[in-house]
Every structure is written in structure tokens, then in C-alpha cells.
Amino acid sequence: MTIKISIDCMGGDFGPSVTVAAAVSFATREPDVEFLLVGQEAILQSELKKLGAQNHPRLSIVHASEMVEMDDPIEVALRRKKDSSMRVALTQVKDGLAQACVSAGNTGALMAVSRYVLKTMPGVDRPAICSILPNQNKQPTYMLDLGANVDCEPLHLHQFAIMGSALVAALENKPRPTVGLLNVGEEDIKGNDVVKRTAQLLRADHERGLLNFYGNVEGNDIFKGTTDIVVCDGFVGNVTLKAVEGLGRFVKTTMTDAFKSNPLNMLGALIGRGALKQISKTMNPSNYNGGSLLGLRGVVIKSHGGADKYSYEWAIQRAFDAVKNDVLARITTSLAELMPVPAEASTTSSGSTEQ
Amino acid sequence: MTIKISIDCMGGDFGPSVTVAAAVSFATREPDVEFLLVGQEAILQSELKKLGAQNHPRLSIVHASEMVEMDDPIEVALRRKKDSSMRVALTQVKDGLAQACVSAGNTGALMAVSRYVLKTMPGVDRPAICSILPNQNKQPTYMLDLGANVDCEPLHLHQFAIMGSALVAALENKPRPTVGLLNVGEEDIKGNDVVKRTAQLLRADHERGLLNFYGNVEGNDIFKGTTDIVVCDGFVGNVTLKAVEGLGRFVKTTMTDAFKSNPLNMLGALIGRGALKQISKTMNPSNYNGGSLLGLRGVVIKSHGGADKYSYEWAIQRAFDAVKNDVLARITTSLAELMPVPAEASTTSSGSTEQ
């Protein structure tokens, strides 16, 4: 089965030089993929030519005259740039021409335009961004929300838990993945009001056998792999994700400096290069690029804005895997089972709060 | 000048086996320190005997019959255990018998008992916990609050910025340290309502020349060293701190496993051991142990509950340095200049919200 993916080629800090190159590279090694490259035709054509891929049978260009800039307010992306590469790429999914869309554009804009074009799943009040982080059990920890919703009510965190569970069940083939609620301590009395009230909702679901709620988890549990899923609001999630990425880069610099500091250390690095490669593979944040926008009626993967070609290919991989594992249908089914549309949800679905 | 420090010897996961051992070790290498070891006399005496330090001239025992357990609610620590090692250790500071107190006890209890025994500085509504993290400029990044206040209003974050500035000015000899406000993006339009309103307060101070406000910073800026100080609420700070500690441990395990995975890698590690030592020194979270409880009328340092002897010595070092650099007087002076007691602050000082 060929999987069709639309790429918002103009999005991200580096635009087509990264997005087109990543798509070409991915298509070269994966025969079951077809790409719709969305953006300014002339630019994309010249990029394909540079890569000798202008006649690739599984790459086609879909022209879009505008682009969403990284600092465009949501309103501009949503109401003024109706022919943006982001919007046109999402429309391919809506129209059934692609099964997933990948974009490295402005998160707030991508979420807003995705909601507008694709709509949310029944019962979902606010879509969330879910990514994976590595853990000591050599398994992925799925964490959400990572920045779509900077102010959350318990009902939203509850929905994130359900969507995360459904995603992990589909992608990892775990029928009852564990859910942890990110907090400042494990005990029930810890935390702020929103977190305490969320725990009550999750415990109730656990007692009814609907969710496998572990309880509160702390920041370090993300990397311990205490639970399959870690739920938090988008402010905490975004800050935490960027902090650990920052530490990752700091570790890398520190290691490079140390092993280059004198000839003996350089020799050690040369002899132990297998170990260094292994460490770099586990720790490289590029290998974890690609956040799923969960709760939409379509597969949308958000790449890091600053992704390079290698990193962007990982985001494409997530889109490919999501379609291959039929994630969308499985989440929809789980949601229908777990989340009868609540009255509150349908009245407060006015919008994502991120700007 | 001899610096007198009281130690809550019963606090922390390991109690006297860590706290007394750390004090003995610190006293052995630092002639200008004197310790008041607070806790159950018989236990402390036996611990000192074990270490051959029962007659050390700069170590004395102050008996306290009770102890605050790690899971004691604040009310118990505050109202029932009036002869706890934590409270007696803090009372030494209040009574002028010690100039600083170190405790690895339950954070919420330590903050509450410290407030009760020592009181807050004039104009300070909520004390905060401030610790350092390493950054790529080979400088410390001071971050607060790290868990004392899980719900914060702009006025609290504003006070944290002022207290953090005063601390860094005193400890790092930087008259105008830069302050960053932790957020999900750099732009002014980003973030939740509390953060946006805090930015307004900080900008106003910056314009009046009272604070050196840089603007919003993101999680990765902590390790980039973009600003000297990073301000956030205690929920975000605690989660972020524990997440980066967790990642730190994960990196360590990954490195150890990789360098032990085959003889060649082991040889590389042996030859490059200088580099590995250098990396471990920079990355070891123990070297950053010891959070200052800022805003109290006394120097109180909170050690990690799980600290080992080496790590606890670092917390003692922070207490020692704070007294040596006259941090308390300098913060009080800065606060008086920067923060005229606002009407709102004095009416909402009912208590820390952490449980």
C-alpha cells in the first residue's frame, strides 16, 4: 500500500532546502511512500532539480502562492493567508489526496489551521501535541501536551490522557498503556488545583477500567519510563521539552570539548568511537523529532522548526508510521468508547489558547 | 571568621548517615566552620563515634526529640512536631546561635516551618527556592521558584525576579544580573495570562532601571546561559528541574553502558578517562545540590532529599558561601530599594500553597 503524505515545504527555519531534501531522501529509501510537495512551484522545482529528482515518479508539486512565517500571528495564518503552503498541505488531507501532513511551521498557526481545515474528532475539545522521549527501559515515553494549550482545565488534561492512551495502544501495540500525571510529587496531596482535579477524573476512569492510570509522576519519571504516557499542560510540557533538548545539546558540547581537550582524550574517543556513536544515537534529539497533533480528523505531524534534513526525515517517519498503523481510526474508536461527548466539552471548544 | 551552621541531621532519605558524615567531612577540610548537629542525641553521638569525630572541637550536638517525616503533611510539621530536628535547627538561626541552616527534609514542611520560625523579609509575600544549573558559558544559571509555590500570581513572580537578582548580585558579584521569564516562546504574545502580566511588571522595572529584564526565555535558554536568572512558578520549576536531573541520570547510564559494551570501548574509556572525568564533573547533579530559600530572615538551604554525603556537602557549601558573602544583608538592602511593600502583598501573605 502506498502512503501519501503532503509536505508543507515552505515551513520551518530552512524551508525547501530541508523539507524537499528530506522528502527526496525518504522516498529514495521507502518505496511505499508518495509525496505531495506543497509550496511555491518555481522554488520547489529548482530544489528538486538541484537534487536530481525532478522526474521522481512519487514526488509531485502542489502549488501554493503564500507561506506562513514563523512569527505570523494565528489570525494572519488563519484568515489572511488562504493560499499558504501550510493550509494547502492540510487541505490535501481533508480532500483525501494525502493521508498525513508534515509541517515545520509555527506551532500555533499549524494547530489553528489544522483545526479549521480538518476539524476535531467528536468529543475532543482541544487537540494536543504528543511527542516521544527516550527512557531507561529503552522504550519511548509519550508526552503531551507539548505546547498547543498553555492554559488547561482538568477536562482538557483528561482528554489528553485518553488520546495519548489510544495513540500508544495503536503505535506500540500495548492494549493498556500506563498514564502518569506530571506533578511536583507522587502523593495525592501534591500539586496545584488543576492537577488535583485531573487526578480525580483519571482515577474514576481507572476504576471503571477505561484508563490505566498510574498516578502522579515527577519530571524524572519521564526518563525512567515509569509510565508509557506522561500528561501535562502545554506550558509545562513545552518548557520541559525545550529544557531537556537544551541539556541534550549542552551534554553534546561538553562531551565534544572534553574528548578534544588533549591528544590522550582524542585517542580515547577514536578507540571508543563505537560507544560514542551509540550514545549519540540514543541521545540525539533529532531521532525524536515529530510531534503528533492529536484529536484532529487527520494525521498531522509537527516537525521542529529548526530541524535539519535528518531530523525532518524522522518527522516524516512518524507520519508514515501513523498511517501504516491506522492510528487515526484506532484513536477514533478508542475515543468513542472512552469519551462520550460531555456537555462541558462541546460548550468550551472555542479555541486553542496558544498565540 | 567562623561560620556557624545548624544541620537538620534527621532530614532526608538517609538521615544522620549522610548528614553527619557530610558535616564531619566538611569540617575536616574547612577550618572556618562550626556545626550544630540537630537531632536525636544518642543517634548522632553514635554516628560521630563511628566516624571517630566524637571529640571534634567544631561539632556539637543539639538534641531534638522528634523528626519531620518525608510524607508528613505541613500541618503536622508545623503544629504537632514542635521539637523536630528541622524546627530546632531553624530556631538556632532565629536565636543567633547559627548563621545558616541546612535541611534535606520535606520541602513543603521546611518552607512552612522556616516561614513560621524565621518570618519573611519585609515586602516578601512568598519565599521561593532558588538553585543553580550549569550552562554553556561555564557560568551558573540561577533558577527560581523550584517548588515552594505551585500556584503563582504575577506579583509573586515579580518578587522572585527581585530576590533572584539580589542573590546573584551578592554571590556572583554582578551588579546588574539579567533576568529571563520562562515561557513557551520569546515573543511578547506568547504564554499564559500570568506570564504575560508578569512580563509587564518586569518591563516596567526595567524601564525604571531597577531590574535588568531580558524578556522571555525558553527551556533551552537555561543551559545556553541566555540570562543569569530564570524566573518561573514552582510547578514549572520543579518539574523542569526533576526532568533535567532525570535526563542527567539517563545520560550517565547510557554512557556507562556504551563504554562497557565491548573491550574496545572499555579501552577507549580507559585512555579517555580524563575526558570522562571532566564530563562527569560538569554534569554531576550532586555538584548543584542546595537550593536557597529566598525571602526569609535567615539563610536556609534545602538539600535534595536523596542526597548522598558528597552531594550534601555541596548544600553545606552553599550555606557557607551565602554567609561568607553576606547574602542576607545584601538581599535585604536590594529588596528595600527595589520593592517598597505593596498593599496587595501584605494582604495575601497567608501561606505557601505547596502541600
Side-chain angles (χ1 to χ4, degrees):
Chain A
M1 181 190 81
T2 298
I3 290 170
K4 291 188 186 178
I5 299 174
S6 66
I7 306 280
D8 165 15
C9 289
M10 312 308 283
D13 298 348
F14 309 112
S17 68
V18 157
T19 56
V20 174
V24 169
S25 167
F26 194 93
T28 305
R29 62 183 163 85
E30 176 52 67
D32 289 339
V33 79
E34 197 177 316
F35 287 109
L36 303 178
L37 305 174
V38 184
Q40 287 161 36
E41 195 168 5
I43 297 177
L44 300 188
Q45 250 163 0
S46 114
E47 200 64 41
L48 283 176
K49 221 173 260 175
K50 242 192 262 171
L51 300 161
Q54 65 273 42
N55 299 319
H56 195 295
R58 290 178 285 111
L59 297 174
S60 49
I61 293 173
V62 177
H63 179 67
S65 62
E66 296 175 300
M67 59 181 282
V68 174
E69 306 285 346
M70 291 309 266
D71 55 356
D72 271 344
I74 288 178
E75 293 70 35
V76 171
L78 203 55
R79 302 194 210 293
R80 277 201 250 146
K81 296 189 169 173
K82 296 198 175 163
D83 197 35
S84 71
S85 57
M86 182 187 280
R87 181 148 169 185
V88 175
L90 289 163
T91 305
Q92 305 306 304
V93 177
K94 183 184 164 258
D95 293 346
L97 301 171
Q99 293 147 289
C101 171
V102 178
S103 173
N106 174 336
T107 309
L110 180 62
M111 185 54 93
V113 178
S114 297
R115 285 180 68 136
Y116 179 78
V117 172
L118 297 172
K119 312 300 176 209
T120 54
M121 287 179 174
V124 172
D125 188 34
R126 296 224 201 135
I129 301 174
C130 183
S131 279
I132 57 170
L133 287 162
N135 70 43
Q136 293 195 331
N137 302 336
K138 301 188 195 301
Q139 297 278 326
T141 299
Y142 286 75
M143 188 166 166
L144 75 167
D145 174 36
L146 295 177
N149 308 281
V150 295
D151 279 305
C152 287
E153 292 300 315
L155 115 95
H156 304 125
L157 294 170
H158 181 212
Q159 291 183 1
F160 300 166
I162 294 171
M163 294 193 290
S165 273
L167 179 75
V168 174
L171 278 182
E172 303 290 331
N173 213 8
K174 282 191 179 178
R176 283 179 58 72
T178 50
V179 176
L181 180 61
L182 196 57
N183 201 341
V184 297
E186 284 177 14
E187 305 81 357
D188 290 348
I189 55 159
K190 294 268 185 168
N192 57 26
D193 184 54
V194 170
V195 165
K196 285 183 202 167
R197 286 191 290 138
T198 304
Q200 287 170 2
L201 296 175
L202 297 177
R203 265 194 296 273
D205 274 1
H206 182 83
E207 278 155 24
R208 286 184 289 156
L210 298 176
L211 265 185
N212 194 358
F213 179 48
Y214 169 89
N216 291 329
V217 293
E218 302 182 64
N220 49 319
D221 288 301
I222 300 166
F223 299 100
K224 265 194 195 164
T226 306
T227 57
D228 296 309
I229 299 142
V230 170
V231 171
C232 60
D233 74 47
F235 191 97
V236 172
N238 184 281
V239 164
T240 305
L241 183 74
K242 285 179 183 159
V244 302
E245 286 173 354
L247 178 59
R249 272 190 289 273
F250 180 42
V251 169
K252 201 178 166 185
T253 314
T254 305
M255 284 181 67
T256 309
D257 290 353
F259 276 110
K260 280 186 180 166
S261 60
N262 66 45
L264 203 60
N265 289 335
M266 285 166 80
L267 181 64
L270 186 69
I271 294 171
R273 64 187 177 281
L276 289 172
K277 239 185 214 166
Q278 204 173 312
I279 296 163
S280 162
K281 195 181 151 197
T282 308
M283 292 300 156
N284 188 348
S286 294
N287 297 353
Y288 307 100
N289 187 33
S292 305
L293 268 59
L294 293 185
L296 296 166
R297 299 182 195 225
V299 175
V300 182
I301 302 292
K302 155 80 177 127
S303 161
H304 217 299
D308 60 11
K309 180 188 142 209
Y310 174 80
S311 179
Y312 199 87
E313 280 189 67
W314 271 107
I316 295 174
Q317 185 72 51
R318 309 260 174 260
F320 187 83
D321 291 344
V323 177
K324 202 174 159 191
N325 290 289
D326 209 8
V327 157
L328 203 64
R330 295 174 76 169
I331 295 185
T332 311
T333 310
S334 296
L335 281 175
E337 282 168 27
L338 287 173
M339 195 164 59
V341 186
E344 318 93 274
S346 52
T347 58
T348 55
S349 59
S350 54
S352 146
T353 55
E354 212 221 21
Q355 305 263 330
Chain B
M1 181 189 79
T2 298
I3 289 170
K4 290 188 187 180
I5 299 173
S6 66
I7 306 280
D8 165 15
C9 289
M10 312 306 283
D13 298 348
F14 308 111
S17 68
V18 157
T19 56
V20 175
V24 169
S25 168
F26 195 93
T28 305
R29 63 183 163 84
E30 176 53 65
D32 289 338
V33 79
E34 196 177 316
F35 287 108
L36 302 178
L37 305 174
V38 184
Q40 288 162 36
E41 194 169 6
I43 297 177
L44 300 188
Q45 252 164 357
S46 115
E47 200 63 42
L48 283 176
K49 221 172 260 175
K50 243 192 263 170
L51 299 161
Q54 65 272 43
N55 298 319
H56 195 296
R58 287 177 286 111
L59 298 174
S60 50
I61 292 174
V62 177
H63 179 66
S65 61
E66 296 175 301
M67 60 182 280
V68 174
E69 306 286 346
M70 290 309 266
D71 54 357
D72 273 343
I74 289 177
E75 294 69 35
V76 171
L78 202 55
R79 301 194 212 293
R80 279 202 248 146
K81 296 189 170 173
K82 296 199 175 166
D83 197 36
S84 72
S85 57
M86 182 187 280
R87 180 146 167 187
V88 175
L90 290 163
T91 306
Q92 306 306 305
V93 176
K94 183 186 162 255
D95 293 346
L97 301 171
Q99 292 147 288
C101 171
V102 178
S103 174
N106 172 334
T107 310
L110 180 63
M111 186 54 94
V113 178
S114 297
R115 285 181 66 134
Y116 180 79
V117 171
L118 296 173
K119 313 300 178 212
T120 53
M121 287 178 174
V124 174
D125 188 34
R126 298 222 200 136
I129 301 174
C130 183
S131 280
I132 58 170
L133 287 162
N135 70 42
Q136 293 194 330
N137 302 337
K138 300 187 195 302
Q139 297 278 325
T141 299
Y142 285 75
M143 188 166 165
L144 76 168
D145 173 35
L146 295 177
N149 309 281
V150 295
D151 280 304
C152 288
E153 293 298 316
L155 114 96
H156 304 125
L157 294 170
H158 181 213
Q159 290 183 2
F160 301 165
I162 294 170
M163 294 194 290
S165 273
L167 179 75
V168 174
L171 279 180
E172 303 290 332
N173 214 8
K174 284 191 178 178
R176 284 180 58 74
T178 49
V179 175
L181 181 61
L182 196 57
N183 201 341
V184 297
E186 284 177 17
E187 305 82 356
D188 289 348
I189 55 158
K190 293 269 186 169
N192 57 28
D193 183 55
V194 170
V195 164
K196 285 184 202 166
R197 286 190 291 138
T198 303
Q200 287 170 2
L201 296 176
L202 296 177
R203 266 195 295 272
D205 275 2
H206 182 84
E207 278 155 23
R208 286 182 290 156
L210 297 176
L211 267 184
N212 193 358
F213 180 49
Y214 170 89
N216 291 330
V217 293
E218 302 183 65
N220 51 317
D221 288 302
I222 300 166
F223 298 100
K224 264 195 198 164
T226 307
T227 57
D228 297 309
I229 299 142
V230 171
V231 171
C232 59
D233 76 46
F235 191 97
V236 173
N238 185 281
V239 164
T240 305
L241 183 72
K242 286 180 182 159
V244 301
E245 285 173 355
L247 178 59
R249 272 190 289 275
F250 179 44
V251 170
K252 201 179 167 186
T253 314
T254 305
M255 282 182 67
T256 309
D257 290 354
F259 277 111
K260 280 186 178 167
S261 61
N262 67 44
L264 203 61
N265 288 337
M266 285 166 80
L267 180 66
L270 186 70
I271 293 171
R273 64 188 176 280
L276 289 172
K277 240 185 213 165
Q278 203 174 312
I279 295 162
S280 163
K281 196 180 152 199
T282 307
M283 291 300 157
N284 188 349
S286 294
N287 297 353
Y288 307 100
N289 186 35
S292 306
L293 269 59
L294 292 185
L296 297 166
R297 298 182 196 224
V299 175
V300 182
I301 302 292
K302 156 80 178 124
S303 160
H304 216 297
D308 61 10
K309 181 189 139 207
Y310 174 78
S311 179
Y312 200 88
E313 281 189 66
W314 270 107
I316 295 175
Q317 185 72 51
R318 309 260 175 260
F320 186 84
D321 291 345
V323 176
K324 203 173 157 191
N325 289 288
D326 209 9
V327 158
L328 204 63
R330 294 173 77 169
I331 294 185
T332 311
T333 309
S334 295
L335 281 174
E337 282 168 26
L338 287 174
M339 194 163 59
V341 186
E344 319 93 272
S346 51
T347 58
T348 55
S349 59
S350 54
S352 146
T353 55
E354 212 222 21
Q355 304 263 332

